Amino acid sequence: MSYSGAESSMEDVVHRQNGSVGGAGNRRHRMKEYGGDSCGDPEAWNDFADSFSRVQTVLDRNRELIQQANENHQSRIPDNMVKNVAIIQELNGNISKVASIYSDLSTNFTGRVRQQRQKGGNSNGRRNGDE
């Protein structure tokens, strides 16, 4: 079995995410890009950006692991094949990390939306009933 298809798919995801999220140093730019300056909660946008940055770091590591596993597999050296067991275990752990980050992000987002609604605002920045 070849990992080239999975590796290619992972690279596509990484490139798409790099284009839309960028590094942690671009936080101010990202806030403007996602409407953080016009929205009432710049901290929420920073939390989103930080979460996506953490996910990107894990995905970058996964890309490296997939490349290494592919090289090990192609070498057909028994010790390298054994190393792939540990690589696959790390990949599985990393997938769990990404799922956890997205779960936390979803929970935080839901909590912030509830807070805004309790304060009398909605997603358009208007109070309930002001339409």
Side-chain angles (χ1 to χ4, degrees):
M1 176 178 182
S2 172
Y3 291 96
S4 61
E7 183 178 327
S8 175
S9 295
M10 180 64 72
E11 287 178 10
D12 291 344
V13 169
V14 169
H15 289 303
R16 279 195 308 269
Q17 289 186 348
N18 275 338
S20 63
V21 177
N26 296 326
R27 178 177 290 163
R28 188 169 293 142
H29 173 71
R30 286 191 312 260
M31 282 178 53
K32 287 181 182 178
E33 180 180 335
Y34 296 124
D37 287 347
S38 62
C39 290
D41 196 354
E43 183 181 335
W45 291 108
N46 287 338
D47 290 346
F48 275 115
D50 290 342
S51 293
F52 288 125
S53 180
R54 288 177 28 220
V55 165
Q56 188 60 54
T57 299
V58 176
L59 293 178
D60 288 343
R61 175 65 180 153
N62 280 1
R63 182 173 34 88
E64 294 169 5
L65 291 170
I66 290 168
Q67 289 171 343
Q68 184 63 50
N70 198 24
E71 290 170 11
N72 289 346
H73 182 74
Q74 289 174 352
S75 75
R76 303 207 185 268
I77 297 171
D79 285 343
N80 287 349
M81 302 297 269
V82 170
K83 290 177 186 176
N84 277 357
V85 172
I87 289 173
I88 291 168
Q89 289 172 337
E90 186 175 344
L91 282 166
N92 285 334
N94 288 348
I95 291 167
S96 294
K97 285 180 191 176
V98 169
S100 177
I101 292 168
Y102 280 133
S103 176
D104 291 346
L105 185 62
S106 175
T107 300
N108 292 340
F109 178 77
T110 302
R112 288 181 190 272
V113 168
R114 284 188 183 133
Q115 273 183 332
Q116 290 299 318
R117 286 183 179 166
Q118 287 174 354
K119 290 179 183 178
N122 65 21
S123 63
N124 294 325
R126 298 179 187 149
R127 282 180 279 158
N128 290 334
D130 289 350
E131 304 205 38

